[in-house]
Amino acid sequence: MGQLGGLVHVIMQAWDTMVVTLAMLMPATVDAKIFQRCDLAMKLEEAGLNGFKGYTIGGLLCMAHYESGFDTSFVDRNPDGSSAYGIFQLNSTWRCDSGVTPTQNLCHMECHELFNRHILDDIMCAKQIVSSQNGMNTWDSWSQHYSGHDLSEWLKGCHMYAKPYTTEINS
């Protein structure tokens, strides 16, 4: 009975650890949101991103769509051990603190804060990235697929004041 009791104790500890881990993750995923294109466009416009540093909301929408599918809970694990989080896929090596990998934490936030529907902090971090030397080229998908293209289609059907510039700057 001694070995069986020890095994039960180990199983119970593992169960407790799993329950605590799930409880910590639950608030982040419960408040997650997959944005509709025009809803996200309006949030970006409200945050003053149309024309910010020469980029349009259409460009940001395009990038967010292909990076995360507009899903605030999206996480992409990278081969180097870092992860990219949230709607703009902000990397844990540079932008946020995952508590797992070393980080510069340039946006002064914990990565789990990027999982919720309240994306003002995500937008502020994205603004910081767009303002950096590499601009939108910080996102590999931008430089590979969208830079210099007509991205006005991303605003079609959205009732807003954003000007659908037909071309983005070439960074």
Side-chain angles (χ1 to χ4, degrees):
M1 194 73 163
Q3 285 181 330
L4 183 58
L7 179 61
V8 168
H9 179 72
V10 169
I11 291 172
M12 292 305 294
Q13 281 184 320
W15 177 255
D16 288 346
T17 301
M18 185 177 74
V19 168
V20 168
T21 301
L22 289 174
M24 288 173 57
L25 292 175
M26 192 175 297
T29 56
V30 168
D31 199 27
K33 179 174 182 171
I34 299 173
F35 277 84
Q36 296 297 315
R37 179 179 51 86
C38 290
D39 291 339
L40 181 57
M42 287 186 193
K43 290 272 188 193
L44 297 172
E45 181 180 49
E46 289 168 8
L49 283 172
N50 197 48
F52 184 75
K53 299 292 181 181
Y55 297 101
T56 68
I57 290 175
L60 288 161
L61 287 173
C62 182
M63 181 273 296
H65 172 76
Y66 286 104
E67 290 287 332
S68 69
F70 303 141
D71 186 351
T72 64
S73 68
F74 190 77
V75 179
D76 187 25
R77 310 275 184 229
N78 297 315
D80 67 359
S82 69
S83 295
Y85 294 86
I87 201 161
F88 298 118
Q89 289 296 280
L90 303 173
N91 188 279
S92 63
T93 299
W94 298 103
R95 303 295 166 187
C96 63
D97 185 1
S98 66
V100 177
T101 55
T103 181
Q104 295 291 316
N105 198 6
L106 297 173
C107 292
H108 309 289
M109 63 190 341
E110 294 182 22
C111 296
H112 71 82
E113 295 174 46
L114 299 165
F115 291 147
N116 62 42
R117 67 184 55 239
H118 310 289
I119 62 168
L120 184 57
D121 50 359
D122 309 50
I123 291 171
M124 298 309 291
C125 187
K127 277 180 128 175
Q128 184 184 83
I129 294 168
V130 170
S131 297
S132 72
Q133 182 178 357
N134 290 332
M136 290 286 285
N137 286 319
T138 299
W139 288 278
D140 290 335
S141 60
W142 174 261
S143 55
Q144 293 171 2
H145 303 292
Y146 323 119
S147 180
H149 291 92
D150 178 359
L151 300 171
S152 61
E153 291 289 318
W154 287 93
L155 292 176
K156 283 209 172 165
C158 300
H159 304 288
M160 51 192 295
Y161 297 107
K163 298 174 190 145
Y165 300 107
T166 55
T167 57
E168 300 284 325
I169 63 170
N170 289 317
S171 323

